[in-house]
Amino acid sequence: MDINQHQPLHPGVFIKRVFLEPNKVGSNQLARQLHVSPGLISRLINSKIDVSPLMALKLSKVLGVSAESWLQMQDNFNLYKAREEINLADYELMEFA
């Protein structure tokens, strides 16, 4: 059964839309708070890189969203993208005795 699902937001897009834009906070300020380079934050909020476990921990401290939530958001995004790239009709369930 195929369930149509809306594309989940990349965590970086979520950060931009929920935290940065409404609060008029720039990516450079977030980079300083996270002790990372502005380029890294730019790549993150432009969906060029994934949230790593280390970044998830930093984001949880700075933005108040659990590390588990950041990683789950990244996993949901990655799984959605993977489903777009593969035709599962080409695969069959293995039967075990």
Coordinates of all heavy atoms in Angstrom, one line a residue:
M1 N 0.9 -1.2 0.0 CA 0.0 0.0 0.0 C 0.9 1.2 0.0 O 1.8 1.3 0.8 CB -0.9 0.0 1.2 CG -1.7 1.3 1.4 SD -3.0 1.3 2.6 CE -2.3 0.6 4.1
D2 N 0.6 2.2 -0.9 CA 1.3 3.4 -1.0 C 0.5 4.5 -0.3 O -0.6 4.8 -0.7 CB 1.6 3.7 -2.5 CG 3.0 4.1 -2.8 OD1 3.8 4.2 -1.9 OD2 3.2 4.4 -4.0
I3 N 1.2 5.2 0.6 CA 0.5 6.3 1.3 C 1.2 7.6 0.8 O 2.4 7.7 0.8 CB 0.7 6.2 2.8 CG1 0.0 5.0 3.3 CG2 0.1 7.5 3.5 CD1 0.2 4.7 4.8
N4 N 0.4 8.5 0.2 CA 0.9 9.8 -0.2 C 1.2 10.6 1.0 O 0.4 10.8 1.9 CB -0.1 10.5 -1.2 CG -0.2 9.9 -2.5 OD1 0.7 9.2 -3.0 ND2 -1.3 10.0 -3.2
Q5 N 2.4 11.1 1.0 CA 2.9 11.9 2.1 C 3.5 13.2 1.7 O 4.1 13.2 0.6 CB 4.0 11.1 2.9 CG 4.6 11.7 4.0 CD 5.8 10.9 4.6 OE1 6.0 9.7 4.2 NE2 6.5 11.5 5.5
H6 N 3.2 14.2 2.4 CA 3.8 15.5 2.1 C 5.3 15.5 2.4 O 5.7 14.8 3.4 CB 3.1 16.7 2.8 CG 1.7 16.9 2.4 ND1 1.4 17.5 1.2 CD2 0.6 16.7 3.0 CE1 0.1 17.6 1.1 NE2 -0.4 17.1 2.2
Q7 N 6.1 16.1 1.6 CA 7.5 16.1 1.9 C 7.8 16.8 3.2 O 7.4 17.9 3.5 CB 8.3 16.9 0.8 CG 9.7 16.9 1.0 CD 10.5 17.5 -0.1 OE1 10.0 17.6 -1.2 NE2 11.8 17.9 0.1
P8 N 8.5 16.1 4.1 CA 8.8 16.7 5.4 C 9.9 17.8 5.2 O 10.6 17.8 4.2 CB 9.4 15.6 6.2 CG 9.6 14.4 5.3 CD 8.9 14.7 4.0
L9 N 9.9 18.8 6.1 CA 10.9 19.8 6.0 C 12.3 19.3 6.4 O 12.4 18.5 7.3 CB 10.6 21.0 7.0 CG 9.4 21.9 6.6 CD1 9.2 22.9 7.7 CD2 9.6 22.6 5.3
H10 N 13.3 19.8 5.7 CA 14.7 19.5 6.1 C 14.8 20.3 7.4 O 14.3 21.4 7.6 CB 15.6 20.0 5.1 CG 17.0 19.8 5.4 ND1 17.8 20.6 6.2 CD2 17.9 18.8 5.0 CE1 19.0 20.1 6.3 NE2 19.1 19.0 5.5
P11 N 15.6 19.8 8.4 CA 15.7 20.5 9.7 C 16.3 21.9 9.5 O 15.9 22.8 10.3 CB 16.7 19.6 10.5 CG 16.6 18.3 9.8 CD 16.2 18.5 8.4
G12 N 17.1 22.1 8.5 CA 17.7 23.5 8.3 C 16.6 24.5 7.8 O 16.6 25.6 8.3
V13 N 15.7 24.0 7.0 CA 14.5 24.9 6.6 C 13.7 25.2 7.8 O 13.2 26.3 7.9 CB 13.8 24.2 5.4 CG1 12.5 24.9 5.1 CG2 14.6 24.0 4.2
F14 N 13.4 24.2 8.6 CA 12.6 24.4 9.8 C 13.3 25.4 10.7 O 12.6 26.3 11.2 CB 12.5 23.0 10.6 CG 11.7 23.1 11.8 CD1 10.4 23.0 11.8 CD2 12.4 23.2 13.1 CE1 9.6 23.1 13.0 CE2 11.6 23.3 14.2 CZ 10.2 23.2 14.2
I15 N 14.6 25.3 10.9 CA 15.3 26.3 11.7 C 15.1 27.7 11.1 O 14.8 28.7 11.8 CB 16.8 26.0 11.8 CG1 17.0 24.7 12.6 CG2 17.6 27.2 12.3 CD1 18.4 24.1 12.5
K16 N 15.3 27.8 9.8 CA 15.1 29.1 9.1 C 13.7 29.7 9.3 O 13.5 30.9 9.7 CB 15.5 29.0 7.7 CG 15.5 30.4 6.9 CD 16.1 30.4 5.5 CE 15.9 29.2 4.7 NZ 16.4 29.3 3.3
R17 N 12.7 28.9 9.1 CA 11.3 29.3 9.1 C 10.7 29.5 10.5 O 9.9 30.4 10.7 CB 10.4 28.3 8.4 CG 10.6 28.3 6.9 CD 9.6 27.4 6.2 NE 9.9 27.3 4.8 CZ 9.2 26.4 4.1 NH1 8.3 25.6 4.5 NH2 9.5 26.3 2.8
V18 N 11.2 28.7 11.4 CA 10.6 28.8 12.8 C 11.4 29.6 13.8 O 10.8 30.3 14.6 CB 10.4 27.3 13.3 CG1 9.9 27.3 14.8 CG2 9.4 26.6 12.5
F19 N 12.7 29.6 13.6 CA 13.5 30.4 14.6 C 14.1 31.6 14.0 O 14.0 32.7 14.6 CB 14.6 29.4 15.1 CG 14.1 28.3 16.0 CD1 14.0 27.0 15.4 CD2 13.8 28.5 17.3 CE1 13.5 26.0 16.2 CE2 13.3 27.5 18.1 CZ 13.1 26.2 17.5
L20 N 14.8 31.6 12.9 CA 15.5 32.7 12.4 C 14.6 33.8 11.8 O 14.7 34.9 12.3 CB 16.5 32.3 11.3 CG 17.6 31.2 11.8 CD1 18.6 30.9 10.7 CD2 18.3 31.7 13.1
E21 N 13.8 33.5 10.8 CA 13.0 34.5 10.1 C 12.0 35.2 11.1 O 12.0 36.5 11.1 CB 12.3 33.9 8.9 CG 13.2 33.6 7.8 CD 12.6 32.9 6.6 OE1 11.4 32.4 6.8 OE2 13.2 32.8 5.6
P22 N 11.2 34.5 11.8 CA 10.3 35.2 12.7 C 10.9 36.1 13.8 O 10.3 37.1 14.2 CB 9.4 34.1 13.3 CG 9.8 32.8 12.7 CD 11.1 33.1 11.9
N23 N 12.1 35.7 14.2 CA 12.8 36.4 15.3 C 13.8 37.4 14.8 O 14.6 38.0 15.6 CB 13.4 35.4 16.3 CG 12.3 34.6 16.9 OD1 11.5 35.1 17.7 ND2 12.3 33.3 16.7
K24 N 13.9 37.5 13.4 CA 14.9 38.4 12.8 C 16.3 38.1 13.3 O 17.1 39.0 13.7 CB 14.5 39.8 13.0 CG 13.2 40.2 12.3 CD 12.8 41.6 12.4 CE 11.6 42.1 11.7 NZ 10.5 41.2 11.6
V25 N 16.6 36.8 13.4 CA 18.0 36.4 13.8 C 18.7 35.9 12.6 O 18.2 35.2 11.8 CB 17.9 35.3 14.9 CG1 19.3 34.7 15.1 CG2 17.2 35.8 16.1
G26 N 19.9 36.4 12.4 CA 20.7 36.0 11.2 C 21.5 34.7 11.5 O 21.7 34.2 12.6
S27 N 21.8 34.0 10.4 CA 22.6 32.8 10.5 C 23.9 32.9 11.2 O 24.4 32.0 11.8 CB 22.7 32.1 9.1 OG 23.4 33.0 8.2
N28 N 24.5 34.1 11.0 CA 25.8 34.3 11.7 C 25.7 34.3 13.2 O 26.5 33.8 13.9 CB 26.4 35.7 11.3 CG 27.0 35.6 9.8 OD1 27.1 34.5 9.3 ND2 27.2 36.8 9.3
Q29 N 24.6 34.9 13.7 CA 24.3 34.9 15.1 C 24.1 33.5 15.6 O 24.7 33.0 16.7 CB 23.1 35.8 15.5 CG 22.9 35.8 17.0 CD 21.7 36.7 17.4 OE1 21.2 37.5 16.5 NE2 21.3 36.7 18.6
L30 N 23.4 32.7 14.9 CA 23.2 31.3 15.3 C 24.5 30.5 15.2 O 24.8 29.7 16.1 CB 22.1 30.6 14.3 CG 21.9 29.1 14.6 CD1 21.3 28.9 16.0 CD2 20.9 28.6 13.6
A31 N 25.3 30.8 14.2 CA 26.6 30.1 14.1 C 27.5 30.4 15.4 O 28.1 29.5 15.9 CB 27.3 30.6 12.9
R32 N 27.4 31.7 15.8 CA 28.2 32.0 17.0 C 27.7 31.3 18.2 O 28.5 30.8 19.0 CB 28.1 33.5 17.3 CG 29.1 34.3 16.4 CD 29.2 35.8 16.8 NE 27.9 36.5 16.8 CZ 27.4 37.1 15.7 NH1 28.0 37.0 14.5 NH2 26.2 37.7 15.7
Q33 N 26.4 31.2 18.4 CA 25.8 30.5 19.5 C 26.1 29.0 19.5 O 26.3 28.4 20.6 CB 24.2 30.7 19.5 CG 23.7 32.0 19.8 CD 24.0 32.4 21.2 OE1 24.7 33.4 21.5 NE2 23.5 31.7 22.2
L34 N 26.2 28.4 18.3 CA 26.5 27.0 18.2 C 28.0 26.7 18.1 O 28.4 25.6 18.1 CB 25.9 26.5 16.9 CG 24.3 26.4 16.9 CD1 23.8 26.1 15.5 CD2 23.8 25.5 17.9
H35 N 28.8 27.8 18.1 CA 30.3 27.6 18.0 C 30.7 26.9 16.8 O 31.5 25.9 16.8 CB 30.9 26.9 19.3 CG 30.6 27.7 20.5 ND1 31.6 28.3 21.3 CD2 29.5 27.9 21.2 CE1 31.1 28.9 22.3 NE2 29.8 28.6 22.3
V36 N 30.1 27.2 15.6 CA 30.4 26.7 14.3 C 30.6 27.8 13.3 O 30.3 28.9 13.6 CB 29.3 25.7 13.8 CG1 29.2 24.5 14.8 CG2 28.0 26.4 13.6
S37 N 31.1 27.4 12.2 CA 31.3 28.5 11.1 C 30.0 28.9 10.5 O 29.0 28.1 10.4 CB 32.2 27.9 10.0 OG 31.5 27.0 9.2
P38 N 29.9 30.2 10.1 CA 28.7 30.7 9.4 C 28.5 29.9 8.1 O 27.3 29.6 7.8 CB 29.1 32.1 9.0 CG 30.1 32.5 10.0 CD 30.9 31.3 10.3
G39 N 29.5 29.4 7.5 CA 29.3 28.6 6.3 C 28.6 27.3 6.5 O 27.8 26.8 5.7
L40 N 28.9 26.7 7.7 CA 28.2 25.4 8.1 C 26.7 25.7 8.3 O 25.9 24.9 7.8 CB 28.8 24.9 9.3 CG 28.3 23.5 9.7 CD1 29.4 22.6 10.2 CD2 27.2 23.6 10.7
I41 N 26.4 26.8 8.9 CA 25.0 27.1 9.2 C 24.3 27.5 7.8 O 23.1 27.1 7.6 CB 24.8 28.3 10.2 CG1 25.3 27.8 11.6 CG2 23.4 28.8 10.3 CD1 24.6 26.6 12.1
S42 N 25.0 28.2 7.0 CA 24.4 28.5 5.7 C 24.1 27.2 4.9 O 23.0 27.0 4.3 CB 25.4 29.3 4.8 OG 24.9 29.5 3.5
R43 N 25.0 26.2 4.9 CA 24.7 24.9 4.3 C 23.6 24.2 4.9 O 22.8 23.6 4.2 CB 26.0 24.1 4.2 CG 27.1 24.6 3.3 CD 28.3 23.7 3.1 NE 28.9 23.3 4.3 CZ 29.9 24.0 4.9 NH1 30.3 25.2 4.4 NH2 30.5 23.6 6.0
L44 N 23.5 24.3 6.2 CA 22.4 23.6 6.9 C 21.1 24.2 6.6 O 20.1 23.5 6.2 CB 22.7 23.6 8.5 CG 21.6 23.0 9.3 CD1 21.5 21.5 9.0 CD2 21.9 23.2 10.8
I45 N 20.9 25.5 6.7 CA 19.6 26.1 6.5 C 19.2 26.1 5.0 O 18.1 26.4 4.6 CB 19.5 27.5 7.1 CG1 20.4 28.5 6.4 CG2 19.7 27.5 8.6 CD1 20.3 29.9 6.9
N46 N 20.2 25.8 4.1 CA 19.9 25.7 2.7 C 19.8 24.2 2.3 O 19.9 23.9 1.1 CB 20.9 26.5 1.9 CG 20.7 27.9 2.0 OD1 19.6 28.5 1.7 ND2 21.7 28.7 2.5
S47 N 19.7 23.3 3.2 CA 19.5 21.9 3.0 C 20.6 21.2 2.3 O 20.4 20.2 1.6 CB 18.1 21.6 2.2 OG 17.1 22.3 2.9
K48 N 21.8 21.7 2.4 CA 23.0 21.1 1.7 C 23.7 20.1 2.6 O 24.4 19.2 2.0 CB 24.0 22.2 1.4 CG 23.4 23.3 0.6 CD 23.6 23.1 -0.9 CE 23.2 24.4 -1.6 NZ 22.3 24.2 -2.7
I49 N 23.5 20.1 3.9 CA 24.1 19.1 4.8 C 23.0 18.6 5.8 O 22.0 19.3 6.0 CB 25.3 19.7 5.6 CG1 24.9 20.8 6.5 CG2 26.4 20.0 4.6 CD1 25.9 21.3 7.4
D50 N 23.2 17.5 6.3 CA 22.3 16.9 7.3 C 22.7 17.3 8.7 O 23.8 17.7 9.0 CB 22.4 15.3 7.2 CG 21.8 14.8 5.9 OD1 21.2 15.5 5.2 OD2 22.0 13.6 5.7
V51 N 21.7 17.2 9.6 CA 22.0 17.4 11.0 C 22.6 16.1 11.6 O 22.1 15.0 11.5 CB 20.7 17.6 11.8 CG1 20.9 17.6 13.3 CG2 20.1 19.0 11.4
S52 N 23.8 16.3 12.1 CA 24.6 15.1 12.7 C 24.2 15.0 14.2 O 23.6 15.9 14.8 CB 26.1 15.4 12.6 OG 26.4 16.5 13.5
P53 N 24.5 13.9 14.8 CA 24.2 13.8 16.3 C 24.8 14.9 17.1 O 24.2 15.5 18.0 CB 24.8 12.4 16.6 CG 24.6 11.6 15.4 CD 24.9 12.6 14.3
L54 N 26.1 15.3 16.7 CA 26.8 16.4 17.4 C 26.0 17.7 17.3 O 25.8 18.4 18.2 CB 28.2 16.5 17.0 CG 29.0 17.6 17.6 CD1 29.2 17.3 19.1 CD2 30.4 17.7 17.0
M55 N 25.6 18.0 16.0 CA 24.8 19.2 15.8 C 23.5 19.2 16.5 O 23.0 20.2 17.0 CB 24.7 19.4 14.3 CG 23.9 20.7 13.9 SD 24.6 22.2 14.6 CE 25.9 22.5 13.4
A56 N 22.9 18.0 16.5 CA 21.6 17.9 17.2 C 21.7 18.2 18.7 O 20.8 18.9 19.2 CB 21.0 16.4 17.0
L57 N 22.8 17.8 19.3 CA 23.0 18.1 20.7 C 23.2 19.7 20.9 O 22.6 20.3 21.8 CB 24.2 17.4 21.2 CG 24.0 15.9 21.4 CD1 25.4 15.2 21.7 CD2 23.0 15.6 22.5
K58 N 23.9 20.3 20.0 CA 24.1 21.7 20.1 C 22.8 22.5 19.8 O 22.5 23.4 20.5 CB 25.2 22.2 19.0 CG 26.6 21.7 19.3 CD 27.5 22.2 18.3 CE 29.0 21.7 18.5 NZ 29.9 22.3 17.5
L59 N 22.1 22.1 18.8 CA 20.8 22.7 18.5 C 19.8 22.5 19.7 O 19.1 23.5 20.0 CB 20.2 22.1 17.2 CG 20.9 22.5 15.9 CD1 20.3 21.6 14.8 CD2 20.7 23.9 15.6
S60 N 19.8 21.4 20.3 CA 18.9 21.2 21.4 C 19.2 22.2 22.6 O 18.3 22.7 23.2 CB 19.0 19.7 22.0 OG 20.2 19.5 22.6
K61 N 20.5 22.4 22.8 CA 20.8 23.4 23.9 C 20.5 24.8 23.5 O 20.0 25.5 24.3 CB 22.3 23.2 24.2 CG 22.9 24.1 25.2 CD 22.3 23.7 26.6 CE 22.9 24.5 27.7 NZ 22.5 24.2 29.0
V62 N 20.8 25.2 22.2 CA 20.6 26.6 21.8 C 19.2 26.9 21.4 O 18.7 28.0 21.7 CB 21.6 26.9 20.6 CG1 21.3 28.2 20.0 CG2 23.0 26.8 21.1
L63 N 18.5 26.0 20.8 CA 17.1 26.3 20.4 C 16.0 25.6 21.2 O 14.8 25.9 21.0 CB 16.9 25.8 18.9 CG 17.9 26.5 17.9 CD1 17.6 26.0 16.5 CD2 17.7 28.0 17.9
G64 N 16.4 24.8 22.1 CA 15.4 24.2 23.1 C 14.5 23.1 22.5 O 13.4 22.8 23.0
V65 N 15.0 22.5 21.4 CA 14.3 21.3 20.9 C 15.2 20.1 21.1 O 16.4 20.2 20.8 CB 14.0 21.5 19.4 CG1 13.3 20.3 18.7 CG2 13.1 22.8 19.2
S66 N 14.6 19.0 21.5 CA 15.5 17.9 21.9 C 16.3 17.4 20.7 O 15.9 17.5 19.5 CB 14.6 16.7 22.4 OG 13.9 16.1 21.3
A67 N 17.5 16.8 21.1 CA 18.4 16.2 20.1 C 17.7 15.1 19.3 O 17.8 15.0 18.1 CB 19.6 15.7 20.7
E68 N 16.9 14.4 20.0 CA 16.1 13.3 19.3 C 15.2 13.8 18.3 O 15.0 13.2 17.2 CB 15.3 12.5 20.4 CG 16.2 11.7 21.3 CD 16.8 12.5 22.5 OE1 16.5 13.7 22.7 OE2 17.6 11.9 23.3
S69 N 14.6 15.0 18.6 CA 13.6 15.6 17.6 C 14.4 16.0 16.3 O 13.9 15.8 15.2 CB 12.9 16.8 18.2 OG 12.1 16.3 19.2
W70 N 15.6 16.6 16.5 CA 16.3 17.0 15.3 C 16.7 15.8 14.5 O 16.6 15.8 13.3 CB 17.6 17.8 15.8 CG 17.3 19.1 16.3 CD1 17.5 19.5 17.6 CD2 16.7 20.2 15.7 NE1 17.1 20.8 17.8 CE2 16.6 21.3 16.6 CE3 16.2 20.4 14.4 CZ2 16.0 22.5 16.3 CZ3 15.6 21.7 14.1 CH2 15.5 22.7 15.0
L71 N 17.2 14.7 15.1 CA 17.6 13.6 14.4 C 16.4 12.9 13.7 O 16.5 12.4 12.6 CB 18.3 12.6 15.3 CG 19.7 13.1 15.8 CD1 20.3 12.2 16.9 CD2 20.6 13.3 14.7
Q72 N 15.3 12.8 14.4 CA 14.0 12.3 13.8 C 13.6 13.1 12.6 O 13.2 12.5 11.6 CB 12.9 12.2 14.9 CG 11.7 11.5 14.3 CD 11.9 10.0 14.0 OE1 12.4 9.3 14.9 NE2 11.6 9.6 12.9
M73 N 13.7 14.4 12.7 CA 13.3 15.2 11.6 C 14.2 15.0 10.4 O 13.8 14.8 9.2 CB 13.4 16.7 12.0 CG 12.8 17.7 11.0 SD 13.0 19.4 11.5 CE 12.2 19.4 13.1
Q74 N 15.5 14.8 10.7 CA 16.5 14.5 9.6 C 16.2 13.1 9.0 O 16.2 13.0 7.8 CB 17.9 14.6 10.1 CG 19.0 14.4 9.0 CD 19.0 15.6 8.0 OE1 19.2 16.7 8.4 NE2 18.7 15.3 6.8
D75 N 15.9 12.1 9.8 CA 15.6 10.8 9.3 C 14.4 10.8 8.5 O 14.3 10.1 7.4 CB 15.4 9.8 10.5 CG 16.8 9.4 11.1 OD1 17.8 9.6 10.5 OD2 16.7 8.8 12.2
N76 N 13.3 11.5 8.9 CA 12.1 11.6 8.1 C 12.3 12.2 6.8 O 11.8 11.7 5.8 CB 11.0 12.4 8.9 CG 10.5 11.7 10.1 OD1 10.6 10.4 10.2 ND2 9.9 12.4 11.0
F77 N 13.1 13.2 6.7 CA 13.4 13.9 5.5 C 14.2 12.9 4.6 O 13.9 12.8 3.4 CB 14.3 15.2 5.7 CG 14.7 15.9 4.5 CD1 13.8 16.8 3.9 CD2 15.9 15.7 3.9 CE1 14.2 17.4 2.7 CE2 16.3 16.4 2.8 CZ 15.4 17.2 2.1
N78 N 15.2 12.3 5.1 CA 16.1 11.4 4.3 C 15.3 10.2 3.8 O 15.4 9.8 2.7 CB 17.2 10.9 5.2 CG 18.3 11.9 5.5 OD1 18.2 13.0 4.9 ND2 19.1 11.7 6.4
L79 N 14.4 9.6 4.6 CA 13.5 8.5 4.2 C 12.6 8.9 3.1 O 12.4 8.2 2.1 CB 12.8 7.9 5.4 CG 12.0 6.7 5.2 CD1 12.9 5.6 4.6 CD2 11.3 6.2 6.4
Y80 N 12.0 10.1 3.2 CA 11.1 10.6 2.1 C 11.9 10.7 0.8 O 11.4 10.3 -0.2 CB 10.5 12.0 2.5 CG 9.6 12.5 1.5 CD1 8.3 12.2 1.5 CD2 10.1 13.3 0.5 CE1 7.4 12.7 0.5 CE2 9.3 13.8 -0.5 CZ 7.9 13.5 -0.5 OH 7.1 14.0 -1.5
K81 N 13.1 11.3 0.9 CA 13.9 11.4 -0.3 C 14.3 10.0 -0.9 O 14.3 9.9 -2.1 CB 15.2 12.2 0.0 CG 14.9 13.7 0.2 CD 14.3 14.3 -1.1 CE 14.3 15.8 -1.1 NZ 13.7 16.3 -2.2
A82 N 14.6 9.1 0.0 CA 15.0 7.8 -0.5 C 13.8 7.1 -1.2 O 14.0 6.4 -2.2 CB 15.5 6.9 0.7
R83 N 12.6 7.3 -0.7 CA 11.4 6.7 -1.3 C 11.2 7.2 -2.7 O 10.6 6.5 -3.5 CB 10.2 6.9 -0.4 CG 10.1 6.0 0.8 CD 8.8 6.2 1.5 NE 8.7 5.2 2.5 CZ 8.5 5.4 3.8 NH1 8.3 6.7 4.2 NH2 8.4 4.5 4.7
E84 N 11.6 8.5 -2.9 CA 11.5 9.1 -4.3 C 12.5 8.5 -5.2 O 12.2 8.5 -6.4 CB 11.7 10.6 -4.2 CG 10.6 11.3 -3.5 CD 10.8 12.8 -3.6 OE1 12.0 13.3 -3.6 OE2 9.8 13.6 -3.6
E85 N 13.6 7.9 -4.7 CA 14.6 7.4 -5.6 C 14.6 5.9 -5.9 O 15.3 5.5 -6.8 CB 16.0 7.7 -4.9 CG 16.3 9.2 -4.8 CD 17.6 9.4 -4.0 OE1 18.4 8.5 -3.9 OE2 17.8 10.6 -3.6
I86 N 13.7 5.2 -5.2 CA 13.7 3.7 -5.4 C 12.4 3.2 -5.8 O 11.4 3.7 -5.3 CB 14.2 3.0 -4.1 CG1 14.5 1.6 -4.3 CG2 13.3 3.2 -3.0 CD1 15.2 0.9 -3.2
N87 N 12.4 2.2 -6.6 CA 11.1 1.5 -7.0 C 11.1 0.2 -6.2 O 11.7 -0.8 -6.6 CB 11.1 1.3 -8.5 CG 9.8 0.6 -8.9 OD1 8.9 0.3 -8.1 ND2 9.7 0.4 -10.2
L88 N 10.3 0.2 -5.2 CA 10.3 -1.0 -4.3 C 9.6 -2.2 -5.0 O 9.7 -3.3 -4.5 CB 9.7 -0.7 -3.0 CG 10.5 0.2 -2.1 CD1 9.8 0.6 -0.8 CD2 11.9 -0.4 -1.8
A89 N 8.9 -1.9 -6.1 CA 8.2 -3.0 -6.8 C 9.2 -4.0 -7.4 O 8.9 -5.1 -7.7 CB 7.4 -2.5 -7.9
D90 N 10.5 -3.6 -7.5 CA 11.6 -4.4 -7.9 C 12.1 -5.4 -6.9 O 13.0 -6.2 -7.2 CB 12.7 -3.6 -8.4 CG 12.4 -2.7 -9.6 OD1 11.4 -3.1 -10.3 OD2 13.1 -1.7 -9.9
Y91 N 11.5 -5.4 -5.7 CA 12.0 -6.2 -4.6 C 10.9 -7.1 -4.1 O 9.8 -6.7 -4.1 CB 12.6 -5.3 -3.4 CG 13.7 -4.4 -3.9 CD1 13.5 -3.2 -4.5 CD2 15.0 -4.8 -3.8 CE1 14.5 -2.4 -5.0 CE2 16.1 -4.0 -4.2 CZ 15.8 -2.8 -4.8 OH 16.8 -2.1 -5.2
E92 N 11.3 -8.2 -3.6 CA 10.4 -9.2 -3.0 C 10.8 -9.6 -1.6 O 12.0 -9.6 -1.3 CB 10.3 -10.5 -3.9 CG 9.8 -10.2 -5.2 CD 9.7 -11.5 -6.1 OE1 9.7 -12.6 -5.4 OE2 9.7 -11.4 -7.3
L93 N 9.8 -9.9 -0.8 CA 10.0 -10.3 0.6 C 10.6 -11.7 0.6 O 10.2 -12.6 -0.1 CB 8.7 -10.3 1.4 CG 8.7 -10.7 2.8 CD1 9.5 -9.7 3.6 CD2 7.3 -10.9 3.4
M94 N 11.7 -11.8 1.4 CA 12.3 -13.1 1.5 C 11.5 -14.0 2.4 O 10.9 -13.5 3.4 CB 13.7 -13.0 2.1 CG 14.8 -12.4 1.2 SD 16.4 -12.3 2.0 CE 16.8 -14.0 2.3
E95 N 11.4 -15.3 2.1 CA 10.7 -16.2 3.0 C 11.7 -17.0 3.7 O 12.7 -17.5 3.1 CB 9.8 -17.0 2.1 CG 8.7 -16.2 1.5 CD 7.6 -17.1 0.8 OE1 7.5 -18.3 1.2 OE2 7.0 -16.6 -0.1
F96 N 11.6 -17.2 5.0 CA 12.5 -17.9 5.8 C 11.7 -19.2 6.4 O 10.6 -19.1 6.7 CB 13.0 -17.1 7.0 CG 13.8 -15.9 6.6 CD1 13.2 -14.7 6.4 CD2 15.2 -16.1 6.3 CE1 14.0 -13.6 6.0 CE2 15.9 -15.0 5.9 CZ 15.3 -13.7 5.7
A97 N 12.4 -20.3 6.4 CA 11.8 -21.5 6.8 C 11.7 -21.5 8.4 O 12.3 -20.9 9.1 CB 12.7 -22.7 6.4

